[in-house]
Amino acid sequence: MTFLKHTLWVVIISINFVSQVQPAAEFDFDTTDFSEIANTPAFVDKTLFIKAVIENNKTSLITAPPGFGKSTNLNMLKTFLEIEVDSEGVPKTKANYVKDQVTDTRNYKLFDDNMLKISEETNTMKNHFGKTPVLSVSFKCKRTVNSFDDALECFKYVVHDCFKQYRYLGRSKKLGIDQRQYIETWCDDKTYRMFGRHRVLSGLRDLSEFLFRHFNDKTVFVLIDDHDSVFKSALFNVTDDDQLNDIVRLTVGIVNSLLKNNRRHVHGGLVTGVSDILVFGSGLN
């Protein structure tokens, strides 16, 4: 009986102890936000990938099936490289980010507090952290593509959604009034629909130029996620070969306009997707 009472007390104490332990942060498999993932127990530190991309010093393509962390890696790069700004586009750091190391931003705190491996790379942190205008865009298509017009509408929304990330450019004193009005037209949820194929082809290139000018002629690093999303949808739904070819040309044209024929404003980039079919022969593979 004494043994049974002792055992019972052990069980009760164990239950009380377990009930007081705070559960570890659960991993959200739907998020691609690096700042969230880096603070979970499931996080595996792959931040030295950042150094590899920087040292590569050119545009690269990464292909892998869904769920392999491509979007998260892009977000990680963005978090590391980008010049953090407020709603008016003013850099949050008090340092001269062109000459000095940036150590006073939320992004820096994320890397430093979590003692991520890239933080040990002194030269990389000093020369690249928080110093680059980043243009980040997802080509992910949220509608079924049954025709070229559907594809054009998809890309029109892609450009619109990307411009909205940088809406502060519409108030930038580094840009002319016509440029600021053009930015506002892309940002507005209704007026962006007026743009045709030509503007869709050049929209992201234009945005890279505006970022370049806003940040005192610093060249931009480009991140493109799901580059083949529109084509994948079209491949299973568009029956007309001519329209399918036009969709391919449209996609490659947007990528080339931004990355291949834009060396003045863009110094490199990273493109992800499931396949390499759309950039094959574009000079980016």
Side-chain angles (χ1 to χ4, degrees):
M1 185 67 176
T2 303
F3 173 76
L4 182 60
K5 287 173 65 178
H6 178 71
T7 304
L8 184 60
W9 274 109
V10 171
V11 172
I12 292 172
I13 291 170
S14 298
I15 291 173
N16 286 337
F17 175 75
V18 171
S19 67
Q20 293 175 25
V21 174
Q22 296 297 319
E26 294 183 2
F27 186 81
D28 182 1
F29 286 95
D30 292 326
T31 187
T32 58
D33 188 332
F34 176 71
S35 64
E36 293 182 15
I37 295 172
N39 286 304
T40 63
F43 174 68
V44 178
D45 190 342
K46 300 291 185 181
T47 54
L48 290 180
F49 171 71
I50 296 169
K51 183 181 179 183
V53 171
I54 291 171
E55 291 179 347
N56 186 45
N57 198 32
K58 60 182 180 180
T59 299
S60 301
L61 169 67
I62 294 178
T63 59
F68 271 63
K70 301 184 299 296
S71 299
T72 302
N73 280 330
L74 289 186
N75 190 261
M76 176 178 69
L77 267 169
K78 178 178 182 289
T79 304
F80 183 91
L81 293 172
E82 70 178 347
I83 302 168
E84 285 186 80
V85 298
D86 62 19
S87 60
E88 296 300 314
V90 178
K92 291 183 177 180
T93 180
K94 295 180 180 179
N96 180 343
Y97 64 83
V98 176
K99 298 179 180 179
D100 303 326
Q101 184 172 355
V102 175
T103 60
D104 59 349
T105 62
R106 184 178 63 176
N107 285 351
Y108 179 83
K109 183 177 175 63
L110 173 68
F111 282 87
D112 190 56
D113 285 359
N114 286 286
M115 296 182 288
L116 302 181
K117 292 179 181 179
I118 192 67
S119 300
E120 300 173 6
E121 299 293 326
T122 306
N123 288 335
T124 303
M125 293 295 294
K126 180 180 179 181
N127 297 325
H128 299 284
F129 182 85
K131 294 176 177 288
T132 304
V134 175
L135 192 162
S136 177
V137 58
S138 171
F139 281 13
K140 191 173 184 64
C141 185
K142 298 180 180 180
R143 62 188 291 175
T144 301
V145 178
N146 293 307
S147 65
F148 175 81
D149 287 341
D150 287 342
L152 186 62
E153 288 303 313
C154 273
F155 278 119
K156 198 178 293 185
Y157 181 81
V158 162
V159 179
H160 160 66
D161 196 47
C162 188
F163 262 88
K164 286 173 68 176
Q165 293 182 63
Y166 309 96
R167 195 159 199 160
Y168 60 82
L169 292 172
R171 300 181 294 277
S172 175
K173 295 180 181 179
K174 304 289 178 64
L175 304 177
I177 187 170
D178 290 343
Q179 293 172 321
R180 296 198 298 268
Q181 289 175 346
Y182 173 69
I183 291 165
E184 282 302 319
T185 304
W186 266 119
C187 288
D188 187 86
D189 289 337
K190 293 181 179 179
T191 57
Y192 83 90
R193 298 177 184 274
M194 65 178 280
F195 288 122
R197 179 174 183 167
H198 173 72
R199 285 301 187 187
V200 172
L201 278 166
S202 65
L204 294 178
R205 176 192 172 94
D206 294 337
L207 180 55
S208 71
E209 179 183 349
F210 300 150
L211 285 168
F212 171 81
R213 295 190 183 284
H214 178 76
F215 289 104
N216 301 311
D217 295 351
K218 281 190 67 68
T219 52
V220 176
F221 193 84
V222 172
L223 303 172
I224 300 178
D225 200 13
D226 289 312
H227 78 91
D228 52 354
S229 177
V230 174
F231 173 76
K232 286 188 298 178
S233 180
L235 187 62
F236 292 103
N237 297 291
V238 177
T239 57
D240 184 275
D241 288 345
D242 289 337
Q243 288 203 45
L244 192 59
N245 288 333
D246 280 344
I247 292 169
V248 172
R249 282 191 286 269
L250 176 64
T251 309
V252 173
I254 292 170
V255 173
N256 280 350
S257 176
L258 176 59
L259 288 172
K260 186 179 179 182
N261 305 318
N262 193 21
R263 302 295 170 83
R264 182 183 177 188
H265 306 124
V266 171
H267 69 265
L270 188 63
V271 182
T272 71
V274 174
S275 70
D276 62 359
I277 188 168
L278 294 181
V279 293
F280 184 79
S282 69
L284 300 177
N285 56 308

